[in-house]
Amino acid sequence: DRNERPAYNRGERTERPSYGDRNERPAYNRGDDRNERPSSGDRNERPSYNRGERTERPSYGDRNERPSYNRGERTERPSSGDRNERPSYNRGERTERPSYGDRPARQGDPRQASRTDRPARSFDDRPKRSFEERPARSYDDRPKRSFEERPARSSDDRPKRSFDDRPKRSFDDRGTSDASRGSDYYPKRDAGSYTPQDDVVLERLEADAIQAADVEGVTFESLGLGGNIVRALAELGAASPFPIQAATIPDVIAGRDVLGRGRTGSGKTIAFGAPLVEKLMENGGGKNRKPGRKPRALILAPTRELALQIDRTVQPIARAVGLFTTQIYGGVPQGRQVGALQRGVDIIVGTPGRIEDLIEQGRLDLSQVTVTVLDEADHMCDLGFLEPVQRILRRTSPDGQKLLFSATLDKGVAALVNEFLPNPSVHEVAGEDQASSTIDHRVLVVEHKGKDRLIEELVNRTEKTLVFARTRAYAERLAEQLGMAGIPAVSLHGDLNQARRTRNLEKLTSGRVNVLVATDVAARGIHVDDITLVVQADAPDEYKTYLHRAGRTGRAGKIGRVVTIIPKARRRRMTEMLDRAEIEAAFDDAAPGDQLVEDIATA
């Protein structure tokens, strides 16, 4: 109850009236002479509040009754319905304008075509003449001839040209490739000097070709390898050396630069890995190991998969003599790699991109590297790693040993050979042709609509199969399609992170799945035992890619088969590619459900 609340030293408080009745409220020092304010319900009864006496304002219902408000007397304005009755408003008296239809033509009107009042002109009196009255011209008497009577134009009258005596050839005489094309423009190459692989390095340097018969009875001990290394090789399944190994191991141990060419699956990894470890053992091996020691050997590979594959072969050999290896490649955090370098390693296996990154960060020093290996050098050049590889090699010891191995030694490798291998020992394996190979090649010509179904029938088998696709999207879609068809399959391509790529490859290696669908990232360096069939869902664009894809099967003398699926329009191009790779393959028309497809799958 506010009325009973004390004043709190504000003095005696008067009773505050309630606000229920506003008329009883006091004026609060406004004076008592305030006029009673009328309610707002009736505006006509409201006083003017010192504005003077206000006249009654008429309503606006009738505009004619509205006063003029000092505008003067206004004349009555006619309605606009009848324009003829509208006054002229100070324009003067206006005559009635006739319509244009009844308007008479005026004489001398410049718009009239038949004017008679214009002045005479000089040519008005000139008589008009017809076409027949024109004067005769020189060509009027020339007889007219039709197009059919026109004589054929002869080339005998034109001046003689330099190429007129060149013999003409028909289109049928033209070969399918430059190597077999008979032409006066391009003379045929000598069969003895032309090499389909375009090994320009081997054309300049004489290669020592080693036959398979030359290594009969040769052992790793006789090549100069120590006992621990020989036992490690035996555990890896290498009981005796392959031809490329027997040819290169003595030169590597002797300290010479080596340039080796051998097809994929010929044993190049052991050919440089085993003598590399032997060289480091001769230079002190694992004695006096200190934390943070700098690496003394470097192995460069074009892809992460190949780097891991090389490390799986070299690491057991190095551990057998107390040496340590590490892998350096992109696509993963560099913390583990930097930690391994800080602890100290002897051999580095990696890709050029990440290695150069660590060099620029100051975390990797290659000044003490005495042995450098370039594996698949041609592929590194194709991927654009030529300049990074050159910068890396310049950071190694100037007197260091250089080993270069590749399936082909083409023009991309020539720059590296000219700068870093001035006098190499060149080796190649002789007799590596289809006659001595254990791989059967086939080409199936199919319709596009039945391609995926035919692939399902080819890979529906119990043995391991590798399928190559051109794009990552097609590889992923094909793997999903095979899985939906009840055929367990995994994919391998560049869009996958390194952990998933390693996991999918391990599934194929362990046998949990039998089909791997991959892009060309798996064409080099992927070694999986017992791959008996390679299916090329998309044909490669060049012969070198074909050779590396085919090298995933038939490794180490085992039997394999390569099946390439092409449309009819690609038949000629496929023939040229096989000729360039020196491979003979049977072309067969196939469709899903054919007996030929079943025979290939179950062979």
Side-chain angles (χ1 to χ4, degrees):
D1 188 356
R2 295 179 66 89
N3 296 331
E4 300 176 0
R5 189 174 182 180
Y8 298 110
N9 297 326
R10 297 181 185 173
E12 189 66 25
R13 186 172 183 179
T14 59
E15 185 69 21
R16 188 174 183 179
S18 65
Y19 295 155
D21 188 357
R22 296 181 65 92
N23 295 330
E24 299 176 1
R25 188 175 182 180
Y28 297 111
N29 298 327
R30 298 182 183 174
D32 297 335
D33 55 349
R34 184 173 181 181
N35 299 329
E36 185 70 19
R37 187 174 182 178
S39 65
S40 59
D42 188 358
R43 297 183 65 91
N44 295 329
E45 298 176 2
R46 189 174 181 177
S48 60
Y49 299 109
N50 298 327
R51 298 180 186 173
E53 190 67 23
R54 186 171 182 179
T55 60
E56 185 71 19
R57 186 173 184 178
S59 65
Y60 295 155
D62 188 358
R63 296 181 65 91
N64 296 329
E65 299 176 2
R66 188 175 182 179
S68 61
Y69 299 110
N70 297 326
R71 297 181 185 174
E73 190 67 23
R74 186 172 183 179
T75 59
E76 185 71 19
R77 184 173 183 177
S79 64
S80 59
D82 189 358
R83 297 183 64 90
N84 295 329
E85 298 176 1
R86 189 173 182 178
S88 60
Y89 299 111
N90 298 326
R91 298 183 185 173
E93 190 67 24
R94 186 172 182 179
T95 59
E96 186 70 19
R97 186 173 183 178
S99 63
Y100 291 153
D102 302 333
R103 188 177 181 182
R106 291 182 294 177
Q107 294 294 328
D109 191 350
R111 290 173 294 181
Q112 296 291 331
S114 58
R115 288 180 60 184
T116 58
D117 58 343
R118 63 175 174 79
R121 294 170 294 186
S122 60
F123 52 82
D124 287 339
D125 298 334
R126 184 181 296 169
K128 296 181 180 181
R129 62 181 181 180
S130 63
F131 184 77
E132 289 77 7
E133 296 176 358
R134 65 174 176 78
R137 288 171 290 189
S138 60
Y139 53 82
D140 286 341
D141 298 335
R142 185 180 297 171
K144 296 181 180 180
R145 60 182 180 180
S146 64
F147 185 79
E148 291 78 6
E149 298 174 354
R150 187 176 181 180
R153 186 174 180 179
S154 175
S155 60
D156 298 336
D157 298 335
R158 63 173 174 77
K160 188 176 181 61
R161 293 171 291 187
S162 59
F163 53 82
D164 287 335
D165 297 333
R166 184 177 296 167
K168 296 181 179 180
R169 57 175 184 169
S170 64
F171 186 79
D172 297 334
D173 296 336
R174 189 176 180 181
T176 57
S177 64
D178 289 341
S180 60
R181 187 175 292 173
S183 172
D184 297 319
Y185 298 95
Y186 308 104
K188 292 183 179 180
R189 296 167 176 167
D190 184 23
S193 62
Y194 173 64
T195 304
Q197 282 80 13
D198 291 338
D199 286 335
V200 296
V201 177
L202 291 181
E203 290 178 1
R204 295 187 295 103
L205 302 173
E206 183 178 356
D208 295 331
I210 184 171
Q211 303 284 344
D214 297 339
V215 298
E216 293 182 1
V218 178
T219 61
F220 285 113
E221 292 91 340
S222 63
L223 296 176
L225 298 179
N228 291 341
I229 297 177
V230 173
R231 285 189 293 271
L233 292 175
E235 293 177 359
L236 292 175
S240 59
F242 288 168
I244 189 66
Q245 298 166 1
T248 58
I249 287 177
D251 287 339
V252 175
I253 296 177
R256 296 190 59 186
D257 295 337
V258 174
L259 184 64
R261 185 179 77 85
R263 291 192 176 182
T264 179
S266 59
K268 296 191 298 294
T269 304
I270 294 179
F272 61 76
L276 182 148
V277 174
E278 185 67 30
K279 283 285 297 180
L280 296 184
M281 283 296 299
E282 293 179 357
N283 295 328
K287 297 180 180 180
N288 300 324
R289 289 196 301 267
K290 297 179 181 180
R293 65 187 181 280
K294 298 177 182 179
R296 293 179 295 149
L298 174 65
I299 302 175
L300 291 177
T303 62
R304 290 173 278 180
E305 283 72 23
L306 181 55
L308 293 173
Q309 183 71 44
I310 294 173
D311 185 72
R312 282 192 290 268
T313 302
V314 176
Q315 186 182 42
I317 303 174
R319 289 290 179 90
V321 294
L323 301 180
F324 289 89
T325 67
T326 189
Q327 314 94 33
I328 297 179
Y329 50 84
V332 297
Q334 67 178 26
R336 183 194 61 80
Q337 302 170 0
V338 174
L341 294 176
Q342 293 174 349
R343 291 189 298 270
V345 295
D346 301 293
I347 303 172
I348 291 178
V349 183
T351 56
R354 178 57 64 86
I355 289 178
E356 195 170 26
D357 289 343
L358 295 181
I359 292 175
E360 294 176 354
Q361 296 175 20
R363 301 178 182 273
L364 177 59
D365 186 1
L366 302 179
S367 59
Q368 296 185 9
V369 171
T370 58
V371 182
T372 305
V373 181
L374 301 180
D375 192 19
E376 302 291 353
D378 60 338
H379 192 41
M380 279 193 284
C381 296
D382 294 340
L383 295 178
F385 287 139
L386 176 60
E387 294 182 359
V389 168
Q390 290 175 328
R391 292 192 294 264
I392 292 173
L393 292 179
R394 291 170 188 147
R395 291 181 176 271
T396 61
S397 177
D399 300 330
Q401 185 179 4
K402 307 296 189 298
L403 311 177
L404 192 150
F405 287 83
S406 180
T408 57
L409 302 175
D410 52 12
K411 58 183 180 181
V413 187
L416 298 175
V417 174
N418 294 335
E419 183 176 359
F420 301 103
L421 288 84
N423 187 25
S425 174
V426 186
H427 298 278
E428 66 172 341
V429 179
E432 283 192 335
D433 52 13
Q434 190 171 1
S436 59
S437 176
T438 58
I439 303 176
D440 179 31
H441 299 267
R442 283 182 174 272
V443 179
L444 300 183
V445 183
V446 303
E447 297 290 341
H448 180 72
K449 60 182 179 181
K451 177 179 177 179
D452 292 347
R453 177 60 181 167
L454 186 139
I455 294 175
E456 292 181 11
E457 297 180 0
L458 283 175
V459 303
N460 191 10
R461 53 204 300 270
T462 58
E463 298 179 354
K464 295 178 183 178
T465 306
L466 180 58
V467 182
F468 282 103
R470 177 178 291 109
T471 64
R472 304 170 184 176
Y474 183 45
E476 192 69 29
R477 181 178 69 82
L478 192 57
E480 294 178 358
Q481 177 183 334
L482 294 177
M484 295 176 61
I487 305 173
V490 292
S491 60
L492 182 65
H493 52 79
D495 283 345
L496 303 178
N497 57 37
Q498 187 60 40
R500 188 176 176 187
R501 291 164 71 170
T502 304
R503 184 169 60 253
N504 289 352
L505 187 60
E506 193 273 335
K507 288 182 180 179
L508 180 68
T509 305
S510 61
R512 284 184 285 174
V513 298
N514 289 330
V515 181
L516 175 66
V517 185
T519 57
D520 285 333
V521 71
R524 299 177 184 240
I526 299 299
H527 175 71
V528 179
D529 293 331
D530 301 328
I531 292 182
T532 57
L533 177 62
V534 171
V535 178
Q536 302 189 83
D538 293 321
D541 293 328
E542 57 179 2
Y543 77 95
K544 290 193 296 183
T545 305
Y546 184 97
L547 293 176
H548 286 289
R549 285 181 176 183
R552 300 309 102 198
T553 185
R555 300 174 70 88
K558 297 181 180 180
I559 298 175
R561 176 166 292 181
V562 178
V563 178
T564 306
I565 301 175
I566 62 170
K568 294 181 179 179
R570 197 182 173 89
R571 184 167 187 147
R572 178 177 178 179
R573 186 175 178 182
M574 190 67 193
T575 302
E576 295 177 355
M577 184 187 304
L578 293 175
D579 291 342
R580 192 171 178 80
E582 296 182 315
I583 293 176
E584 295 182 1
F587 285 74
D588 298 302
D589 295 331
D594 290 352
Q595 184 63 35
L596 175 63
V597 178
E598 183 180 354
D599 293 342
I600 295 175
T602 58

